[in-house]
mmCIF file of all heavy atoms in Angstrom:
data_model
loop_
_atom_site.group_PDB
_atom_site.id
_atom_site.type_symbol
_atom_site.label_atom_id
_atom_site.label_comp_id
_atom_site.label_asym_id
_atom_site.label_seq_id
_atom_site.Cartn_x
_atom_site.Cartn_y
_atom_site.Cartn_z
ATOM 1 N N VAL N 1 0.833 -1.196 0.000
ATOM 2 C CA VAL N 1 0.000 0.000 0.000
ATOM 3 C C VAL N 1 0.867 1.245 0.000
ATOM 4 O O VAL N 1 0.599 2.216 -0.726
ATOM 5 C CB VAL N 1 -0.970 -0.022 1.202
ATOM 6 C CG1 VAL N 1 -1.647 1.324 1.391
ATOM 7 C CG2 VAL N 1 -2.003 -1.115 1.032
ATOM 8 N N ASP N 2 1.945 1.239 0.803
ATOM 9 C CA ASP N 2 2.852 2.392 0.836
ATOM 10 C C ASP N 2 3.505 2.632 -0.520
ATOM 11 O O ASP N 2 3.611 3.777 -0.973
ATOM 12 C CB ASP N 2 3.942 2.198 1.895
ATOM 13 C CG ASP N 2 3.400 2.335 3.300
ATOM 14 O OD1 ASP N 2 2.304 2.913 3.456
ATOM 15 O OD2 ASP N 2 4.081 1.854 4.239
ATOM 16 N N SER N 3 3.940 1.560 -1.185
ATOM 17 C CA SER N 3 4.566 1.731 -2.500
ATOM 18 C C SER N 3 3.550 2.214 -3.531
ATOM 19 O O SER N 3 3.861 3.033 -4.394
ATOM 20 C CB SER N 3 5.229 0.425 -2.952
ATOM 21 O OG SER N 3 4.266 -0.583 -3.116
ATOM 22 N N LEU N 4 2.322 1.733 -3.442
ATOM 23 C CA LEU N 4 1.273 2.193 -4.360
ATOM 24 C C LEU N 4 0.952 3.667 -4.133
ATOM 25 O O LEU N 4 0.817 4.436 -5.096
ATOM 26 C CB LEU N 4 0.017 1.336 -4.194
ATOM 27 C CG LEU N 4 -1.167 1.697 -5.081
ATOM 28 C CD1 LEU N 4 -0.813 1.437 -6.550
ATOM 29 C CD2 LEU N 4 -2.393 0.916 -4.686
ATOM 30 N N VAL N 5 0.863 4.072 -2.890
ATOM 31 C CA VAL N 5 0.575 5.470 -2.579
ATOM 32 C C VAL N 5 1.709 6.367 -3.049
ATOM 33 O O VAL N 5 1.479 7.441 -3.627
ATOM 34 C CB VAL N 5 0.305 5.642 -1.066
ATOM 35 C CG1 VAL N 5 0.317 7.102 -0.662
ATOM 36 C CG2 VAL N 5 -1.015 4.996 -0.692
ATOM 37 N N SER N 6 2.957 5.935 -2.838
ATOM 38 C CA SER N 6 4.085 6.753 -3.291
ATOM 39 C C SER N 6 4.123 6.839 -4.813
ATOM 40 O O SER N 6 4.422 7.902 -5.375
ATOM 41 C CB SER N 6 5.400 6.206 -2.747
ATOM 42 O OG SER N 6 5.672 4.945 -3.289
ATOM 43 N N PHE N 7 3.812 5.723 -5.502
ATOM 44 C CA PHE N 7 3.767 5.749 -6.956
ATOM 45 C C PHE N 7 2.687 6.698 -7.453
ATOM 46 O O PHE N 7 2.903 7.486 -8.376
ATOM 47 C CB PHE N 7 3.531 4.334 -7.507
ATOM 48 C CG PHE N 7 3.286 4.303 -8.984
ATOM 49 C CD1 PHE N 7 4.341 4.448 -9.871
ATOM 50 C CD2 PHE N 7 2.004 4.142 -9.487
ATOM 51 C CE1 PHE N 7 4.121 4.434 -11.237
ATOM 52 C CE2 PHE N 7 1.775 4.126 -10.843
ATOM 53 C CZ PHE N 7 2.838 4.269 -11.720
ATOM 54 N N LEU N 8 1.506 6.623 -6.839
ATOM 55 C CA LEU N 8 0.401 7.485 -7.266
ATOM 56 C C LEU N 8 0.695 8.955 -6.990
ATOM 57 O O LEU N 8 0.355 9.815 -7.810
ATOM 58 C CB LEU N 8 -0.903 7.056 -6.592
ATOM 59 C CG LEU N 8 -1.503 5.746 -7.091
ATOM 60 C CD1 LEU N 8 -2.744 5.391 -6.290
ATOM 61 C CD2 LEU N 8 -1.807 5.818 -8.565
ATOM 62 N N SER N 9 1.319 9.248 -5.861
ATOM 63 C CA SER N 9 1.635 10.657 -5.578
ATOM 64 C C SER N 9 2.679 11.182 -6.556
ATOM 65 O O SER N 9 2.591 12.327 -7.022
ATOM 66 C CB SER N 9 2.114 10.812 -4.141
ATOM 67 O OG SER N 9 3.343 10.149 -3.953
ATOM 68 N N GLU N 10 3.661 10.341 -6.902
ATOM 69 C CA GLU N 10 4.657 10.748 -7.900
ATOM 70 C C GLU N 10 4.008 10.926 -9.276
ATOM 71 O O GLU N 10 4.337 11.852 -10.021
ATOM 72 C CB GLU N 10 5.772 9.706 -7.971
ATOM 73 C CG GLU N 10 6.922 10.097 -8.849
ATOM 74 C CD GLU N 10 8.036 9.066 -8.801
ATOM 75 O OE1 GLU N 10 8.184 8.386 -7.770
ATOM 76 O OE2 GLU N 10 8.745 8.948 -9.820
ATOM 77 N N PHE N 11 3.063 10.041 -9.596
ATOM 78 C CA PHE N 11 2.348 10.138 -10.862
ATOM 79 C C PHE N 11 1.539 11.427 -10.935
ATOM 80 O O PHE N 11 1.532 12.110 -11.965
ATOM 81 C CB PHE N 11 1.444 8.914 -11.039
ATOM 82 C CG PHE N 11 0.709 8.880 -12.339
ATOM 83 C CD1 PHE N 11 1.355 8.466 -13.495
ATOM 84 C CD2 PHE N 11 -0.621 9.262 -12.421
ATOM 85 C CE1 PHE N 11 0.687 8.431 -14.703
ATOM 86 C CE2 PHE N 11 -1.293 9.234 -13.619
ATOM 87 C CZ PHE N 11 -0.637 8.815 -14.767
ATOM 88 N N VAL N 12 0.870 11.771 -9.855
ATOM 89 C CA VAL N 12 0.068 13.006 -9.822
ATOM 90 C C VAL N 12 0.979 14.223 -9.944
ATOM 91 O O VAL N 12 0.652 15.193 -10.648
ATOM 92 C CB VAL N 12 -0.788 13.055 -8.539
ATOM 93 C CG1 VAL N 12 -1.388 14.435 -8.332
ATOM 94 C CG2 VAL N 12 -1.887 12.011 -8.600
ATOM 95 N N ASP N 13 2.136 14.186 -9.273
ATOM 96 C CA ASP N 13 3.076 15.314 -9.385
ATOM 97 C C ASP N 13 3.556 15.490 -10.824
ATOM 98 O O ASP N 13 3.635 16.611 -11.331
ATOM 99 C CB ASP N 13 4.277 15.107 -8.460
ATOM 100 C CG ASP N 13 3.896 15.222 -6.991
ATOM 101 O OD1 ASP N 13 2.831 15.810 -6.711
ATOM 102 O OD2 ASP N 13 4.655 14.714 -6.134
ATOM 103 N N ASP N 14 3.878 14.371 -11.491
ATOM 104 C CA ASP N 14 4.299 14.448 -12.892
ATOM 105 C C ASP N 14 3.150 14.914 -13.791
ATOM 106 O O ASP N 14 3.363 15.643 -14.760
ATOM 107 C CB ASP N 14 4.812 13.090 -13.373
ATOM 108 C CG ASP N 14 6.185 12.773 -12.845
ATOM 109 O OD1 ASP N 14 6.867 13.705 -12.373
ATOM 110 O OD2 ASP N 14 6.588 11.590 -12.888
ATOM 111 N N TRP N 15 1.953 14.465 -13.470
ATOM 112 C CA TRP N 15 0.784 14.836 -14.270
ATOM 113 C C TRP N 15 0.526 16.340 -14.202
ATOM 114 O O TRP N 15 0.217 16.981 -15.200
ATOM 115 C CB TRP N 15 -0.432 14.063 -13.775
ATOM 116 C CG TRP N 15 -1.634 14.209 -14.640
ATOM 117 C CD1 TRP N 15 -2.602 15.156 -14.530
ATOM 118 C CD2 TRP N 15 -1.990 13.405 -15.757
ATOM 119 N NE1 TRP N 15 -3.557 14.974 -15.497
ATOM 120 C CE2 TRP N 15 -3.209 13.906 -16.263
ATOM 121 C CE3 TRP N 15 -1.426 12.291 -16.362
ATOM 122 C CZ2 TRP N 15 -3.848 13.340 -17.347
ATOM 123 C CZ3 TRP N 15 -2.066 11.720 -17.443
ATOM 124 C CH2 TRP N 15 -3.261 12.239 -17.933
ATOM 125 N N LEU N 16 0.688 16.885 -13.015
ATOM 126 C CA LEU N 16 0.454 18.311 -12.843
ATOM 127 C C LEU N 16 1.605 19.155 -13.394
ATOM 128 O O LEU N 16 1.424 20.342 -13.676
ATOM 129 C CB LEU N 16 0.226 18.636 -11.368
ATOM 130 C CG LEU N 16 -1.048 18.027 -10.767
ATOM 131 C CD1 LEU N 16 -1.109 18.320 -9.273
ATOM 132 C CD2 LEU N 16 -2.278 18.521 -11.472
ATOM 133 N N ALA N 17 2.777 18.550 -13.565
ATOM 134 C CA ALA N 17 3.937 19.286 -14.074
ATOM 135 C C ALA N 17 3.776 19.623 -15.555
ATOM 136 O O ALA N 17 4.354 20.587 -16.041
ATOM 137 C CB ALA N 17 5.209 18.488 -13.861
ATOM 138 N N ASN N 18 3.006 18.800 -16.300
ATOM 139 C CA ASN N 18 2.746 19.015 -17.725
ATOM 140 C C ASN N 18 4.029 19.073 -18.554
ATOM 141 O O ASN N 18 4.185 19.920 -19.427
ATOM 142 C CB ASN N 18 1.945 20.300 -17.938
ATOM 143 C CG ASN N 18 0.499 19.996 -18.239
ATOM 144 O OD1 ASN N 18 0.152 18.845 -18.472
ATOM 145 N ND2 ASN N 18 -0.333 21.005 -18.228
ATOM 146 N N ASP N 19 4.938 18.150 -18.323
ATOM 147 C CA ASP N 19 6.136 18.100 -19.151
ATOM 148 C C ASP N 19 5.878 17.230 -20.382
ATOM 149 O O ASP N 19 4.758 16.795 -20.624
ATOM 150 C CB ASP N 19 7.351 17.616 -18.343
ATOM 151 C CG ASP N 19 7.175 16.208 -17.807
ATOM 152 O OD1 ASP N 19 6.049 15.693 -17.880
ATOM 153 O OD2 ASP N 19 8.156 15.634 -17.315
ATOM 154 N N MET N 20 6.917 16.972 -21.150
ATOM 155 C CA MET N 20 6.762 16.259 -22.430
ATOM 156 C C MET N 20 6.310 14.815 -22.218
ATOM 157 O O MET N 20 5.492 14.299 -22.987
ATOM 158 C CB MET N 20 8.080 16.292 -23.202
ATOM 159 C CG MET N 20 7.974 15.673 -24.577
ATOM 160 S SD MET N 20 6.758 16.452 -25.636
ATOM 161 C CE MET N 20 7.552 17.982 -25.989
ATOM 162 N N ARG N 21 6.820 14.153 -21.182
ATOM 163 C CA ARG N 21 6.412 12.763 -20.936
ATOM 164 C C ARG N 21 4.921 12.677 -20.659
ATOM 165 O O ARG N 21 4.250 11.757 -21.127
ATOM 166 C CB ARG N 21 7.179 12.189 -19.745
ATOM 167 C CG ARG N 21 8.642 11.980 -19.987
ATOM 168 C CD ARG N 21 9.316 11.394 -18.785
ATOM 169 N NE ARG N 21 9.088 12.241 -17.627
ATOM 170 C CZ ARG N 21 9.122 11.819 -16.369
ATOM 171 N NH1 ARG N 21 9.346 10.559 -16.104
ATOM 172 N NH2 ARG N 21 8.915 12.655 -15.382
ATOM 173 N N VAL N 22 4.411 13.610 -19.906
ATOM 174 C CA VAL N 22 2.986 13.609 -19.585
ATOM 175 C C VAL N 22 2.164 13.887 -20.836
ATOM 176 O O VAL N 22 1.113 13.262 -21.055
ATOM 177 C CB VAL N 22 2.682 14.632 -18.473
ATOM 178 C CG1 VAL N 22 1.193 14.730 -18.226
ATOM 179 C CG2 VAL N 22 3.402 14.258 -17.200
ATOM 180 N N ALA N 23 2.631 14.789 -21.673
ATOM 181 C CA ALA N 23 1.902 15.087 -22.912
ATOM 182 C C ALA N 23 1.851 13.859 -23.821
ATOM 183 O O ALA N 23 0.799 13.531 -24.382
ATOM 184 C CB ALA N 23 2.563 16.257 -23.637
ATOM 185 N N VAL N 24 2.981 13.156 -23.948
ATOM 186 C CA VAL N 24 3.007 11.935 -24.769
ATOM 187 C C VAL N 24 2.101 10.878 -24.154
ATOM 188 O O VAL N 24 1.357 10.182 -24.861
ATOM 189 C CB VAL N 24 4.457 11.426 -24.928
ATOM 190 C CG1 VAL N 24 4.491 10.048 -25.533
ATOM 191 C CG2 VAL N 24 5.268 12.399 -25.760
ATOM 192 N N PHE N 25 2.146 10.749 -22.838
ATOM 193 C CA PHE N 25 1.285 9.774 -22.165
ATOM 194 C C PHE N 25 -0.184 10.093 -22.391
ATOM 195 O O PHE N 25 -0.996 9.196 -22.643
ATOM 196 C CB PHE N 25 1.600 9.734 -20.669
ATOM 197 C CG PHE N 25 0.740 8.784 -19.901
ATOM 198 C CD1 PHE N 25 0.984 7.430 -19.942
ATOM 199 C CD2 PHE N 25 -0.336 9.251 -19.155
ATOM 200 C CE1 PHE N 25 0.189 6.539 -19.246
ATOM 201 C CE2 PHE N 25 -1.135 8.376 -18.457
ATOM 202 C CZ PHE N 25 -0.874 7.022 -18.494
ATOM 203 N N LYS N 26 -0.545 11.356 -22.287
ATOM 204 C CA LYS N 26 -1.946 11.750 -22.512
ATOM 205 C C LYS N 26 -2.381 11.455 -23.939
ATOM 206 O O LYS N 26 -3.484 10.956 -24.170
ATOM 207 C CB LYS N 26 -2.133 13.238 -22.206
ATOM 208 C CG LYS N 26 -2.099 13.579 -20.743
ATOM 209 C CD LYS N 26 -2.267 15.072 -20.538
ATOM 210 C CE LYS N 26 -2.210 15.462 -19.086
ATOM 211 N NZ LYS N 26 -2.343 16.910 -18.885
#
């Protein structure tokens, strides 16, 4: 659960950053 929560929080941070990786992923 801790690893899942840390992964999701990192994912949300990257998602909100709107960099190139996030744009390609979207």
Side-chain angles (χ1 to χ4, degrees):
V1 168
D2 288 341
S3 63
L4 180 66
V5 167
S6 66
F7 172 77
L8 288 177
S9 66
E10 187 176 331
F11 183 79
V12 168
D13 291 341
D14 285 344
W15 189 270
L16 295 175
N18 256 350
D19 62 349
M20 184 59 72
R21 291 181 304 155
V22 175
V24 169
F25 179 77
K26 287 179 181 179

